[in-house]
Amino acid sequence: MELKPMVFCDTKTVLTYMEANFRFNLALKIPSIRKAEKAAPLIITRLEIYETRIVINDTEYKMKVWRECQADAGLYNGEVDDDADEFGYKISINESMQPGDIKLVYDGSKRRRRGWLRYDCPERMYQRPCNHFIRLYVSGSMTQFPHTNMKMHHLIRRLLTIFIGNRSGECIIKNIDLKDDVLRWPKDGRKVILQNVEIGEYTPFKFDALHSIVDPNVPISRLKTIVSNFQRRILDHSLLKNVEHLVLSNSLEILFRSDLFSMQTQKVSFTHSCSIERSLQRLISTLMEKPRPIGLCYSIRVRSKMNLNIINHPKELEKSKDCMKLEMGDDAIVVIQYVEEKKKTWLNIEIVPKKKKF
């Protein structure tokens, strides 16, 4: 029987159903399929980006620096976790920025303290050869790159370009977690579809970064963050229009610091358990100040149920200890009620059409 090579479309179909890391590795070894690999839809179940490592699905790409100074055996030799410049200082965020990189934090200009080099490397002083390498560990194997022309942040960018960059096919990332202070995303290629996103501590820069890489035609299913005491409030952003569910690992107080009722995300959850006795009346008054869009839903995790009968508002339609309904204009009703989910108690505030039956 005569063997026939697969045509381009067949190759794309086969690659689409391959596990992402196996597919990347295959394309590196077989140049003839690289064009098809970039054109085939790519699905990544989990992507985590750290300062010195990347996790894709169940595979970790981890970097270390190998230092072997031949001129002075007294200096520390061996593997270290941090990258440093020729003077022994850990490279700052600003020094590591490359064209297209997006800073995710406020201050990256401050020079960091001296790292694993205690003084100038003798290679600089005596022109003696030293063996400095970037080591990349993947699934038990190790590859070395010369340290002279490459730092860890260069390799992070290079890996993300291999994985995500220059794609003409659709790229779906089901879960992404940004752990680094810089997003070193590839400059070229189509925007990606993100489903569940975790960004850690909130900064406006992180919203800017996500907005620049995400496909605006497909909503983000869930975006999780936490607002620090330093930041204090979350600002409205055009990204939130494309987020179906915003999850804040904060208590209810953040709602009063931010104008969350006016933001473009219709479903917001506060996952930090809190007491609502002192704030619920104020919360309802703030909500009822003006008409809100139908579909708006806020879920607040509470420590215990407060009797809703003690809440008073001129727009009341009906109320009981666990449920309250308020009239909002001619077309909407605000439903406030407790919900039990996975042994946790939530207070849900939802705006529904007036014609809806309960």
Side-chain angles (χ1 to χ4, degrees), residues 259 261-262 286-294 296 328 332 351:
D259 190 13
F261 285 135
S262 298
T286 303
L287 174 68
M288 298 297 292
E289 286 176 351
K290 59 183 179 181
R292 311 289 180 177
I294 291 174
L296 189 72
M328 179 171 278
I351 300 175

Side-chain angles (χ1 to χ4, degrees), residues 52-54 60-66 79 133-145 150 155-156 158-159 162-163:
T52 59
R53 62 190 178 100
I54 298 172
E60 181 183 55
Y61 299 79
K62 187 174 183 179
M63 280 153 271
K64 288 181 176 288
V65 173
W66 172 261
E79 282 190 343
F133 296 96
I134 300 290
R135 285 185 165 181
L136 174 63
Y137 289 92
V138 185
S139 301
S141 64
M142 186 269 288
T143 305
Q144 290 192 152
F145 302 89
M150 181 181 291
L155 186 52
I156 287 282
R158 183 173 172 181
L159 288 173
I162 292 172
F163 302 148

Side-chain angles (χ1 to χ4, degrees), residues 51-52 63 83-84 91-98 101 134 150-160 180 182 184:
E51 184 179 1
T52 59
M63 280 153 271
D83 213 346
I91 297 173
S92 72
I93 294 174
N94 279 359
E95 290 170 327
S96 74
M97 295 292 287
Q98 305 164 77
D101 287 354
I134 300 290
M150 181 181 291
K151 305 295 184 185
M152 285 186 179
H153 55 270
H154 295 134
L155 186 52
I156 287 282
R157 178 67 171 274
R158 183 173 172 181
L159 288 173
L160 286 173
D180 195 6
V182 178
R184 308 186 191 280

Side-chain angles (χ1 to χ4, degrees), residues 276-326:
I276 58 173
E277 284 78 4
R278 296 182 180 180
S279 57
L280 185 55
Q281 182 74 60
R282 178 186 170 194
L283 174 65
I284 293 173
S285 298
T286 303
L287 174 68
M288 298 297 292
E289 286 176 351
K290 59 183 179 181
R292 311 289 180 177
I294 291 174
L296 189 72
C297 180
Y298 281 73
S299 295
I300 304 161
R301 187 182 170 194
V302 297
R303 293 174 187 165
S304 59
K305 292 183 179 181
M306 171 187 173
N307 187 348
L308 299 182
N309 276 317
I310 66 175
I311 300 294
N312 296 307
H313 195 278
K315 295 293 184 177
E316 286 178 17
L317 294 175
E318 59 180 270
K319 66 179 177 180
S320 64
K321 66 175 184 177
D322 290 335
C323 182
M324 184 177 189
K325 297 175 185 177
L326 307 173

Side-chain angles (χ1 to χ4, degrees), residues 91-299:
I91 297 173
S92 72
I93 294 174
N94 279 359
E95 290 170 327
S96 74
M97 295 292 287
Q98 305 164 77
D101 287 354
I102 305 173
K103 191 188 298 184
L104 304 180
V105 295
Y106 283 97
D107 185 16
S109 60
K110 187 176 180 181
R111 195 170 182 82
R112 301 182 185 181
R113 63 181 178 81
R114 206 168 182 84
W116 43 269
L117 290 176
R118 290 172 292 165
Y119 40 82
D120 285 352
C121 177
E123 180 182 18
R124 288 174 50 81
M125 295 187 291
Y126 306 117
Q127 301 300 311
R128 296 285 297 277
C130 290
N131 296 324
H132 301 328
F133 296 96
I134 300 290
R135 285 185 165 181
L136 174 63
Y137 289 92
V138 185
S139 301
S141 64
M142 186 269 288
T143 305
Q144 290 192 152
F145 302 89
H147 190 259
T148 305
N149 299 319
M150 181 181 291
K151 305 295 184 185
M152 285 186 179
H153 55 270
H154 295 134
L155 186 52
I156 287 282
R157 178 67 171 274
R158 183 173 172 181
L159 288 173
L160 286 173
T161 299
I162 292 172
F163 302 148
I164 309 295
N166 303 308
R167 292 196 170 275
S168 57
E170 185 177 74
C171 179
I172 300 173
I173 302 176
K174 293 184 177 181
N175 299 279
I176 183 171
D177 196 348
L178 302 182
K179 301 284 192 179
D180 195 6
D181 292 335
V182 178
L183 182 61
R184 308 186 191 280
W185 205 256
K187 293 187 294 182
D188 300 319
R190 64 187 291 171
K191 294 192 175 184
V192 296
I193 296 172
L194 303 180
Q195 294 182 349
N196 294 291
V197 181
E198 293 195 23
I199 61 172
E201 195 170 289
Y202 161 79
T203 68
F205 303 120
K206 293 182 179 180
F207 278 16
D208 291 340
L210 288 173
H211 193 254
S212 70
I213 68 171
V214 70
D215 186 339
N217 299 312
V218 182
I220 297 172
S221 301
R222 178 177 172 271
L223 171 60
K224 184 178 181 180
T225 186
I226 183 171
V227 182
S228 67
N229 290 329
F230 168 76
Q231 189 68 42
R232 290 190 59 80
R233 60 196 298 262
I234 187 169
L235 303 175
D236 198 7
H237 194 285
S238 54
L239 172 74
L240 294 175
K241 186 178 181 180
N242 203 40
V243 174
E244 292 182 336
H245 185 190
L246 176 63
V247 179
L248 299 173
S249 301
N250 291 89
S251 63
L252 192 57
E253 185 60 32
I254 192 65
L255 189 148
F256 298 115
R257 298 180 197 154
S258 313
D259 190 13
L260 286 177
F261 285 135
S262 298
M263 289 188 178
Q264 301 171 75
T265 300
Q266 288 206 308
K267 185 176 182 181
V268 182
S269 296
F270 300 86
T271 61
H272 183 78
S273 180
C274 62
S275 299
I276 58 173
E277 284 78 4
R278 296 182 180 180
S279 57
L280 185 55
Q281 182 74 60
R282 178 186 170 194
L283 174 65
I284 293 173
S285 298
T286 303
L287 174 68
M288 298 297 292
E289 286 176 351
K290 59 183 179 181
R292 311 289 180 177
I294 291 174
L296 189 72
C297 180
Y298 281 73
S299 295

